[in-house]
Amino acid sequence: EMQLVQSGGGLVQAGESLTLSCAASGFSFDEFAIGWFRQAPGKQREAVSCLSYSNDYTDYAQSVKGRFTASKDNDKKTVFLQMRNLKPDDTAVYYCAIGCSEGPAAAFGVWGQGTQVTVSS
């Protein structure tokens, strides 16, 4: 069974940092791009970052560029999202998924369980 299990998240103050982890199992980790998404209360889910399967390409939403960094450890089959200088607007439930946009992610249908990130002002 293909699975993504998330860890990390929590409550921080504005300007602080957090790192989310997404551990993969049941599939060839280095054959799929992994995306991070988030959904804030009352808002649609949005793509936050994309990390290519080859680990040589990353893309970020404009709102997080320069503050968030996606990376992966193939040996641990884990993808990370390092979030720096967090802002209250970053408050959301964060998800990792196979695929970097809603279409491919929906097609693969493999999502992490979600983790809450809350940034207080």
Side-chain angles (χ1 to χ4, degrees), residues 32-37 46-53 57-61 70 96-106 108 110-111:
F32 295 93
I34 301 293
W36 285 96
F37 300 77
E46 63 172 340
V48 174
S49 75
C50 175
L51 180 62
S52 68
Y53 70 94
Y57 170 82
T58 54
D59 195 18
Y60 301 93
C96 59
I98 294 179
C100 288
S101 58
E102 284 289 344
F108 283 114
V110 180
W111 293 80

Side-chain angles (χ1 to χ4, degrees), residues 58-69:
T58 54
D59 195 18
Y60 301 93
Q62 190 62 39
S63 59
V64 306
K65 276 185 179 178
R67 300 188 298 119
F68 289 16
T69 303

Side-chain angles (χ1 to χ4, degrees), residues 14-38:
E16 294 185 339
S17 300
L18 274 176
T19 298
L20 305 181
S21 300
C22 174
S25 63
F27 63 97
S28 297
F29 182 64
D30 56 356
E31 294 184 2
F32 295 93
I34 301 293
W36 285 96
F37 300 77
R38 67 185 182 185

Side-chain angles (χ1 to χ4, degrees), residues 2-25:
M2 301 170 75
Q3 279 192 322
L4 294 170
V5 178
Q6 295 178 228
S7 59
L11 172 64
V12 297
Q13 292 188 331
E16 294 185 339
S17 300
L18 274 176
T19 298
L20 305 181
S21 300
C22 174
S25 63

